[in-house]
Amino acid sequence: MKVSELSSMFKLINAGDMEREVKGVFCCDLLSVAMGKAPADSAWVTVMANVNTLAVASLTDVSCVVLAEGAVLDEATVNKAREQEITVFSTEEPIFEAALRIHG
């Protein structure tokens, strides 16, 4: 599936490469674990909504970040996502439910 297809499931916070492939789902809220284990080209579902999340997303080359459970980025972090062209979505759903929607 392409990142653009997630726009029908979740609220788009920042658009990066919307034509990028999503080849899996990764769920993790511990940044150090995500840094070592998030697969490239995956949709990373997390509640960690800060600039460090963007750094890990960039480092691991995930396709996009989905902020679950109502987590929101502050304006400075949204600007950083724009700068780095990282696609970020948000949802009120729990992490597991959001991941199931992507997987399905």
Side-chain angles (χ1 to χ4, degrees), residues 36-98:
K37 294 191 176 192
D41 301 318
S42 63
W44 177 20
V45 185
T46 183
V47 297
M48 297 300 297
N50 60 52
V51 73
N52 294 328
T53 303
L54 299 180
V56 172
S58 179
L59 178 71
T60 58
D61 199 29
V62 294
S63 296
C64 62
V65 175
V66 178
L67 299 174
E69 301 188 27
V72 295
L73 297 177
D74 62 33
E75 188 176 336
T77 307
V78 172
N79 289 334
K80 191 65 153 173
R82 281 189 196 112
E83 224 175 81
Q84 296 182 343
E85 300 180 356
I86 297 172
T87 302
V88 181
F89 295 98
S90 70
T91 182
E92 294 293 324
E93 295 177 335
I95 292 171
F96 181 74
E97 298 299 323

